[in-house]
Structure formats: structure tokens, C-alpha cells
């Protein structure tokens, strides 16, 4: 072929395969190892343990009658001066009795400054922006209905916001059903490694990934939620902070507790929605990076953009090339054994799954399809009153 010997063709083929391997798995792996080291560095943030700002806690709801009372009970227990807390439940078109439950709770707990808002439109970010306009806190905290806090979360998290350069803080998602099924097991492996990465990035000053279970923003540094319409209220809202040079950090001690769907279908529903959002988030970062509009450390941002937008494409090439190799050298099938190595296996599986899901996200973003509409994950049913009580969350 083209005057090349069979050996030369194989050589070029293997070279291509190795390049594709590097672009998909290599970059991610090296980045992870580097961040794991960075995670051990000390903080360069002033932490004033006395810092106790007025806070507005916003809970967005859509048909959360199954869990909302437990969520409010959990918030009622946090150790923070009640006169410094404004609690807002912002509901969009629930057609169960979520609002009735919230109103009854407010009557039973008159000492809580609880505001109930109801919106006639769909969309979590829209609801959060509506609540933001009605909030009075200096710090705005978002928490999904299915996420539960330890009593000391404010003492742990808020002091980091006393540093003028810090705009937002968040914490790790802890699964309360990590060993239920292989789905929750692999998700847990993924979460643990992501948390290390997020901590490493935070030590450098900025992590792009926040979560809905606990994210706290300084009001003055948060013009609105998801201004670029990425569909992600957490990661999408951080983009403005990156533009303005405000730090966004992940704090291991600000953990929140939730459950994860036990079925693969339930997982895919969440992951595909999330991938779609993240593709839009990192396309926005790419655009800003190219226009020189980012004022936080660019290295981690560039690598994240690469990992979310380019690595999945390299993975799309990796699959057919690997198939070709396996077909011609069947004995290499022994590599499948990598999947049964205890710590490596689940993570490898998870990475492959993530790339596949990101490819779906990329194609739907490319086809101009905006974020996939929200449907309630099947985790509420797991978060029973007794489980929450056992874990001292209510
Ligand atoms: P996930 O963790 O991102 O998969 O999403 P969850 O369903 O666990 O959390 C999303 C939170 O936003 C829940 O508290 C939902 O009730 C709430 N939510 C979702 N969509 C809407 C919406 O359109 N309006 C309002 N107000 N809340 C919403
Ligand atoms: Mn959730």
C-alpha cells in the first residue's frame, strides 16, 4: 500500500493507536496523577473561623413531596444562628403536594425565616434566579432536595469564604448506598477520584466542577445562575467567576449526603443530561479562553476543556482501531483482564462509560439540541426516613 511494506503499515497503525490512546486515556490519567499530588499542597486561602455572614439557603423543587419534609428537617438542624438564615423553597409547577408540605412545615416551625416561592415556568436555573432576586443573604447556598448536610457544614465551609479572593465553595457528594449494586460501586469509584482532582484544582485556585448538593456563593460575585444557558446551574454559574478572577474551591470537609440510582438506566438518565450540560460548559470556556477572557489559572481550565471536548473524540477513534487490533491478534483479548483488577477495573470501566456518554453529549450539542429536560432520578425512594435517621441527618 502506497509503496509501504506490511511492517511499515503496522508501525504507522500502532503509532496512530498509541496517539489516540494517549489523547483519550493518557492525558486524563496524567492530569489525575498530577492533581493527586497538587491536592496535598497547603491552602493559600485565609480562613477566618469567626466569619458568619447572613446566608440564604435556596432549595429548588419540582415534585419533591417524597423528600422535602426530610430536607427541611435536615436544614433545621444545622448549627448556625437562626437569625442569620433565610430559607427559600422555590418551586416550579409541582403537581404533587410539595408546596402544601412546605407551608405546613413553615407553620410548625415559625422561628424559621422560610420563604416559599412558586414559579409558573420550568427550569432549575430560572427558578434559582427568581429566588436570587428575592434573597437577602450575603452568601447564597444552593441545595437540591435529595441532598443532606451534616450539622456542622456551615462552620466547615463558610470560613473559606472570608478570604476576599474566594467567590464560591462546594463539597463532595457522599453516596449513602455505595455498595448497593455495581452501578453505585462504579459511580462511587468515579466520585472518589473526581474529588481528588477537584481538590487538586482548588489548591491551584479554581475548580470547574460544583454540585447541586452544596454550593455556596458570595452574593456580590454571583450576577446570576447559569448566565450562558448551559443548563447547568452549578458548573455553569462558575464561568462568570472564572472571568472575574474569583476563586472557586472544593472543600473535602463540606460534604453532603445523597443516594444514587441503583440501575444502569437510572444512571444513564443522569449522566447523559450532565454530559450534555458539561459539553456546553466547556464549549463556553473554550470560547472565553480563545478570547483571553479568563482570569483564573488557565492550565487546569485548558486541560479540562481538552478532557471534556477532545478526549471523547479520540476515544471514538480508539474503539474501532482497538477492534481491528483485537481481530487480527485475538490473544490480546487477555487485556480484558485489566477490568478485574480491584481498583483499576471499575475506574477503567467508568472512564470508558464517561467518554461514551460525553460523545452522546457532544453529538447532541453539535446537532444544536439544547440540554435534555430534567426528570427526577430514582434516588428519592432510597433516602428513607430510617436511613436518614441512622446517619444522624434528621
Ligand atoms: P441531579 O442530582 O442533578 O440529577 O438532579 P436532582 O434531581 O437530584 O436535583 C435537582 C434539584 O432541582 C431537585 O431538588 C429538583 O426538585 C430541582 N428541580 C429540577 N428541575 C426543576 C425546575 O424546573 N424547577 C425547580 N424549581 N426545581 C427543579
Ligand atoms: Mn441529585
Amino acid at each position: 500500500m502506497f509503496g509501504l511494506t506490511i511492517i511499515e503499515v503496522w508501525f504507522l497503525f500502532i503509532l496512530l493507536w498509541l496517539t489516540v490512546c494517549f489523547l483519550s486515556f493518557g492525558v486524563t490519567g496524567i492530569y489525575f496523577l498530577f492533581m493527586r499530588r497538587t491536592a496535598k499542597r497547603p491552602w493559600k486561602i485565609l480562613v477566618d473561623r469567626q466569619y458568619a455572614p447572613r446566608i440564604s439557603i435556596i432549595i429548588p423543587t419540582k415534585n419533591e413531596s417524597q423528600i422535602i419534609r426530610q430536607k427541611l428537617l435536615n436544614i433545621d438542624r444545622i448549627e448556625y444562628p437562626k437569625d442569620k438564615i433565610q430559607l427559600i423553597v422555590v418551586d416550579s409547577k409541582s403537581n404533587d403536594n410539595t408546596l402544601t408540605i412546605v407551608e405546613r412545615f413553615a407553620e410548625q416551625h415559625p422561628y424559621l425565616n422560610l420563604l416559599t416561592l412558586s414559579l409558573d415556568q420550568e427550569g432549575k436555573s430560572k427558578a434559582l434566579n427568581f429566588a436570587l432576586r428575592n434573597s437577602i443573604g450575603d452568601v447564597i447556598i444552593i441545595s437540591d432536595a435529595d441532598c443532606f448536610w451534616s450539622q456542622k457544614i456551615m462552620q466547615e465551609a463558610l470560613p473559606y469564604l472570608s478570604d476576599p479572593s474566594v467567590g464560591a465553595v462546594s463539597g463532595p457528594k457522599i453516596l449513602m448506598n455505595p455498595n448497593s449494586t455495581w452501578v453505585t460501586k462504579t459511580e462511587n469509584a468515579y466520585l472518589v477520584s473526581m474529588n481528588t482532582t477537584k481538590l487538586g484544582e482548588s489548591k491551584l485556585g479554581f475548580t470547574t466542577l460544583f454540585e447541586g448538593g452544596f454550593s455556596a456563593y458570595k452574593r456580590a460575585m454571583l450576577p446570576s445562575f447559569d448566565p450562558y444557558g448551559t443548563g447547568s446551574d452549578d458548573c455553569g454559574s462558575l464561568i462568570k467567576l472564572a472571568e472575574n478572577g474569583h476563586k472557586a474551591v472544593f472543600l473535602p470537609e463540606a460534604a453532603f449526603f445523597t443516594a444514587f440510582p441503583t440501575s444502569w438506566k437510572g444512571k444513564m438518565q443522569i449522566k447523559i443530561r450532565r454530559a450534555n450540560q458539561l459539553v456546553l460548559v466547556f464549549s463556553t470556556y473554550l470560547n472565553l479562553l480563545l478570547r483571553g477572557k479568563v482570569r483564573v489559572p488557565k492550565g487546569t481550565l485548558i486541560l479540562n476543556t481538552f478532557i471534556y471536548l477532545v478526549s471523547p473524540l479520540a476515544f471514538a477513534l480508539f474503539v474501532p482501531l482497538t477492534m481491528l487490533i483485537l481481530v487480527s491478534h485475538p490473544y490480546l483479548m487477555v487485556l480484558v483482564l485489566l477490568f478485574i483488577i480491584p481498583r483499576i477495573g471499575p475506574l477503567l470501566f467508568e472512564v470508558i462509560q464517561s467518554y461514551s456518554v460525553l460523545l452522546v453529549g457532544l453529538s447532541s450539542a453539535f446537532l444544536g439540541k439544547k440540554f435534555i429536560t430534567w426528570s427526577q432520578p430514582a434516588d428519592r425512594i432510597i433516602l428513607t426516613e430510617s436511613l436518614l435517621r441512622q446517619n444522624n441527618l434528621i
Side-chain angles (χ1 to χ4, degrees):
M1 203 199 300
F2 307 117
L4 296 174
T5 64
I6 250 325
I7 304 275
E8 282 163 342
V9 169
W10 256 114
F11 178 75
L12 287 177
F13 182 81
I14 294 296
L15 202 66
L16 177 66
W17 185 78
L18 286 175
T19 309
V20 164
C21 255
F22 177 74
L23 295 180
S24 48
F25 300 100
V27 174
T28 311
I30 293 168
Y31 184 64
F32 171 71
L33 292 177
F34 184 66
M35 282 306 137
R36 198 170 64 173
R37 265 191 30 205
T38 316
K40 298 194 182 110
R41 292 190 192 171
W43 286 109
K44 286 192 206 138
I45 292 176
L46 301 170
V47 183
D48 174 4
R49 292 277 159 202
Q50 304 304 315
Y51 182 70
R54 277 189 312 172
I55 60 175
S56 291
I57 301 172
I58 306 177
I59 307 167
T61 58
K62 174 131 192 250
N63 293 337
E64 297 289 5
S65 60
Q66 213 175 342
I67 202 104
I68 189 64
R69 190 178 151 76
Q70 268 80 293
K71 172 69 184 167
L72 294 172
L73 281 172
N74 172 257
I75 293 207
D76 186 26
R77 281 164 44 103
I78 59 168
E79 292 175 13
Y80 203 70
K82 286 277 186 280
D83 61 331
K84 285 191 172 169
I85 305 178
Q86 178 194 30
L87 185 53
I88 306 179
V89 174
V90 59
D91 186 86
S92 303
K93 294 169 63 168
S94 284
N95 49 26
D96 59 1
N97 54 348
T98 303
L99 280 177
T100 322
I101 297 172
V102 175
E103 273 150 20
R104 200 178 319 138
F105 191 91
E107 278 163 27
Q108 291 164 351
H109 302 78
Y111 55 87
L112 285 178
N113 178 10
L114 198 164
L115 175 66
T116 311
L117 300 173
S118 167
L119 211 75
D120 214 16
Q121 286 172 311
E122 306 267 344
K124 185 177 171 188
S125 292
K126 247 185 216 142
L128 294 181
N129 280 323
F130 182 50
L132 186 65
R133 289 193 290 275
N134 286 280
S135 64
I136 54 170
D138 299 315
V139 168
I140 308 293
I141 304 171
I142 305 305
S143 195
D144 293 345
D146 63 334
C147 298
F148 295 84
W149 295 342
S150 71
Q151 283 173 288
K152 297 223 182 285
I153 193 161
M154 295 304 156
Q155 282 98 316
E156 300 284 7
L158 295 182
Y160 288 81
L161 281 171
S162 66
D163 185 316
S165 70
V166 178
V169 298
S170 81
K173 178 197 274 187
I174 312 274
L175 297 189
M176 292 166 78
N177 60 340
N179 294 317
S180 290
T181 62
W182 67 273
V183 172
T184 63
K185 269 186 202 147
T186 50
E187 177 67 13
N188 201 50
Y190 164 81
L191 283 177
V192 170
S193 65
M194 281 310 283
N195 287 341
T196 308
T197 310
K198 288 189 218 177
L199 181 59
E201 294 174 343
S202 300
K203 294 284 173 77
L204 298 175
F206 197 85
T207 185
T208 48
L209 300 181
F210 265 29
E211 291 211 60
F214 178 81
S215 337
Y217 307 83
K218 273 190 194 143
R219 177 75 169 94
M221 296 180 182
L222 179 75
S224 66
F225 286 97
D226 194 22
Y228 291 101
T230 63
S232 159
D233 60 284
D234 34 42
C235 306
S237 306
L238 291 181
I239 303 175
K240 266 279 177 265
L241 276 75
E243 281 180 83
N244 295 329
H246 303 309
K247 288 183 176 145
V249 300
F250 165 93
L251 308 167
E253 54 274 55
F256 64 90
F257 300 82
T258 188
F260 196 75
T262 50
S263 75
W264 191 71
K265 189 169 162 244
K267 171 173 183 161
M268 282 303 114
Q269 199 183 47
I270 294 180
K271 291 283 165 171
I272 290 176
R273 166 161 48 90
R274 185 72 168 172
N276 188 275
Q277 298 170 352
L278 289 181
V279 165
L280 294 173
V281 165
F282 286 105
S283 311
T284 310
Y285 275 123
L286 178 62
N287 191 303
L288 294 170
L289 281 165
L290 291 174
R291 293 191 292 133
K293 296 246 177 190
V294 170
R295 288 171 57 202
V296 290
K298 291 186 189 55
T300 57
L301 268 186
I302 293 170
L303 271 155
N304 269 300
T305 306
F306 186 93
I307 289 167
Y308 282 90
L309 301 181
V310 181
S311 295
L313 297 176
F315 175 75
L317 255 176
F318 167 85
V319 175
L321 292 181
T322 308
M323 297 277 188
L324 270 177
I325 295 180
L326 289 180
V327 166
S328 52
H329 294 76
Y331 59 86
L332 286 175
M333 292 276 188
V334 291
L335 286 176
V336 172
L337 290 176
L338 278 176
F339 284 97
I340 60 168
I341 303 177
R343 280 167 51 120
I344 315 267
L347 214 54
L348 200 61
F349 181 79
E350 199 54 37
V351 172
I352 291 175
Q353 191 169 265
S354 297
Y355 282 150
S356 314
V357 169
L358 276 169
L359 274 174
V360 176
L362 271 167
S363 8
S364 68
F366 183 72
L367 293 173
K369 232 170 67 185
K370 268 282 179 134
F371 38 90
I372 296 149
T373 48
W374 180 80
S375 62
Q376 193 174 82
D379 63 338
R380 292 0 181 217
I381 190 122
I382 301 160
L383 296 161
T384 57
E385 215 175 307
S386 67
L387 180 71
L388 294 169
R389 231 176 266 290
Q390 269 166 35
N391 287 276
N392 194 26
L393 293 168
I394 56 169

